[in-house]
Every structure is written in structure tokens, then in C-alpha cells.
Amino acid sequence: MDILKTANVPDLDVQRKCARVVRHVRLSETGYELVLERNGLVFDAGRLITLHGRDVTEDRSYTIASGERDEHLHILYRYVPAGVLTPQLIRLREGDTIELSGPYGQFVLRDPKRPIWFIATGTGVAPCHAYIRTHPSLDLTLVHGVRTEDDLFYRADFARYTYHPCLSKERKSSCHFGHVTDHLAACDLPAEAHYYLCGAYEMIYDVQALLLEKGITPDRIFVEGYYYRLET
Ligand SMILES: Cc1cc2nc3c(=O)[nH]c(=O)nc-3n(C[C@H](O)[C@H](O)[C@H](O)COP(=O)(O)OP(=O)(O)OC[C@H]3O[C@@H](n4cnc5c(N)ncnc54)[C@H](O)[C@@H]3O)c2cc1C
């Protein structure tokens, strides 16, 4: 087993190993969940792994969507047809292996006892899922922005929390219509809560500006950018 240490995350016991695919499920038109053998990997909710491609230019980061005590590693990902690694990932079948390393990242829960507002776009909801799998009693409000209802990943798991699904391309009576930023602009935001933002950088910039405008102090805002949108 290789033990890698990196300068920016000195306290993590980073390991590189091959993991077997336990299950691979298509959740929506482009949303997939890859379930991998854990092989003893220890991590805090909110950390990520690198999935390794054919060479280092193909390596990509993925948040672990499962909880700290769950049997397997669950990875929620979006198939990007023009991308490099995800067209390879979608071909993985049960029993195949993939090289991974981790844990990495700093998007961990700062204080599980405090009210949490989690604002996500698309697969950016993955760390929030790891948080509730690990801390089921969280005082959580989730604002999840996606295009269409079928991309409301893990919806059933979030039902017992305060859940604000926002659809930008489809009108449904059970969801808000529009972007998360528009929805948040109309919400009363508690000053004492911690705000976690994850997903598209465009959303993160807009929501950060809105939170500051609404008087939330920067020390209560934590962000994890995944990608810039290919289209809006
Ligand atoms: C810290 C971190 C954590 C991440 N965690 C996850 C995760 O849990 N799940 C996940 O799906 N992705 C996650 N990503 C993004 C992931 O690393 C890849 O970039 C993504 O899977 C696309 O890989 P690719 O090689 O197929 O495409 P690339 O060649 O890397 O990207 C092509 C283009 O696709 C667009 N794109 C990338 N990802 C998405 C997306 N999810 N939705 C819409 N457009 C996208 C971007 O415009 C990008 O420039 C994370 C990224 C970072 C930095």
C-alpha cells in the first residue's frame, strides 16, 4: 500500500489503491452513482478522492457521498460527454477495478451542532449527503438547484430535513422554479448558521455575494467549487 503525503493536507493519511466496483447505477439522464469497495479507507464526511485515469492528466476529484461508517464508497457523478474521465467511468461494470487515492480536501463539517444551510448545484449535493449519513441529527436546510426533477439526487434521504429543491428548466408543483440564487434572495437567512456552498463556480460567486449582502459574515461561509458550467 502506497502512503502519499501532500504539503497542503499534511494531517491526512492519503492512500492509493485499486478498488473494485460493487455497483454502478444510472440515476438520471446524465447522473450516475458509482459504488466502490472501501478497502479500509478512513475519511471525514466532506472529503474527496481522486479517481485515476490512464495518466495524470486524466485524474479527477470526486467527493465521497457516503458516510464515515458506511460499508462502501459512493461517488455521485455527472457524465460529461465532452469530458475526459467520465466517458471512461460510465463504462465501468460490477467487478471492474479503478485506481483511487485519498482522502483529500477540506470541505468538512465545521460544527455539526450548529444550524447548517447547504446550497448546491447538481452533483454538488454529494458532501451534504455524506454529512447526513454521518450526522443524521443535523439541523439542515438544503437548497438544491438542478435543471430537471430527475436530477434531485438523494431526494428521499433529504426529505426529513428542510429541503428546498429548485428547478431551472422544469415547472413542478413540489419544487421552486428558478435558480438557487433567486430562491435564496427571498429567504430569511439566520445569522448564526453556517453556510456551505458546493457545485458550479458561477453559483458559488453569486450566492457568496448574496450572503454577504444579507449580512452573513465571511467566517460562516465555506465553499467547494467543482466546475464552470459548459452552458448556462
Ligand atoms: C474538489 C472537487 C470535487 C469534485 N467532486 C465531484 C463530484 O463529487 N461529482 C462530480 O460529478 N464531479 C465532481 N468534480 C468534478 C470532477 O472532478 C470532473 O471535473 C468531472 O467529473 C468532469 O470530468 P471529465 O474528465 O469527464 O470532464 P473534464 O474534461 O474535466 O471537464 C469538461 C468540462 O465539463 C464541465 N463539467 C465538469 N463537471 C461537471 C459537472 N459535474 N456538471 C456539469 N458540468 C461539468 C466543465 O465545464 C468542464 O470544464 C469535482 C471537482 C473538484 C475540483
Side-chain angles (χ1 to χ4, degrees):
M1 179 166 61
D2 290 328
I3 306 294
L4 309 175
K5 289 285 179 195
T6 60
N8 55 344
V9 281
D11 297 322
L12 297 176
D13 179 17
V14 173
Q15 305 176 0
R16 184 166 175 145
K17 48 182 88 187
C18 259
R20 200 175 57 84
V21 175
V22 175
R23 212 161 51 244
H24 199 180
V25 185
R26 188 174 184 176
L27 304 174
S28 69
E29 195 182 338
T30 54
Y32 289 79
E33 190 182 52
L34 185 61
V35 181
L36 299 172
E37 271 181 347
R38 185 161 171 172
N39 288 341
L41 190 93
V42 175
F43 65 92
D44 310 296
R47 302 245 194 240
L48 55 94
I49 54 172
T50 295
L51 292 181
H52 295 277
R54 289 165 296 207
D55 63 55
V56 71
T57 64
E58 298 188 349
D59 294 351
R60 297 289 184 271
S61 302
Y62 296 92
T63 305
I64 302 164
S66 40
E68 293 171 10
R69 292 174 298 279
D70 287 342
E71 184 181 3
H72 300 303
L73 299 175
H74 290 232
I75 300 299
L76 172 69
Y77 74 94
R78 164 101 51 212
Y79 167 46
V80 180
V84 172
L85 190 69
T86 57
Q88 299 173 51
L89 293 184
I90 60 160
R91 293 201 296 269
L92 288 172
R93 298 283 172 264
E94 187 182 326
D96 291 346
T97 55
I98 182 163
E99 218 177 327
L100 63 82
S101 63
Y104 301 106
Q106 301 296 327
F107 199 56
V108 293
L109 260 187
R110 272 44 178 201
D111 180 0
K113 295 197 178 70
R114 195 183 277 264
I116 305 294
W117 277 61
F118 197 103
I119 298 115
T121 51
T123 53
V125 78
C128 190
H129 194 252
Y131 294 168
I132 61 162
R133 292 287 311 163
T134 304
H135 305 280
S137 307
L138 267 191
D139 177 356
L140 171 72
T141 300
L142 169 62
V143 182
H144 190 196
V146 293
R147 289 172 187 217
T148 55
E149 197 177 24
D150 58 343
D151 275 342
L152 290 172
F153 307 117
Y154 304 130
R155 184 179 192 172
D157 298 344
F158 292 120
R160 58 181 286 227
Y161 302 92
T162 307
Y163 181 54
H164 301 210
C166 301
L167 309 182
S168 62
K169 302 282 182 210
E170 189 177 52
R171 288 184 188 272
K172 292 280 174 178
S173 55
S174 57
C175 302
H176 303 279
F177 181 70
H179 292 285
V180 293
T181 322
D182 304 322
H183 178 64
L184 278 171
C187 291
D188 284 332
L189 302 179
E192 75 282 8
H194 275 174
Y195 291 82
Y196 292 79
L197 283 45
C198 187
Y201 281 104
E202 294 86 343
M203 176 279 284
I204 289 174
Y205 299 146
D206 290 350
V207 170
Q208 246 177 332
L210 179 75
L211 294 181
L212 296 173
E213 235 173 69
K214 286 189 163 235
I216 308 301
T217 52
D219 58 314
R220 295 189 170 168
I221 305 174
F222 310 99
V223 306
E224 182 93 295
Y226 275 9
Y227 54 87
Y228 287 93
R229 287 195 188 101
L230 287 172
E231 50 186 288
T232 52

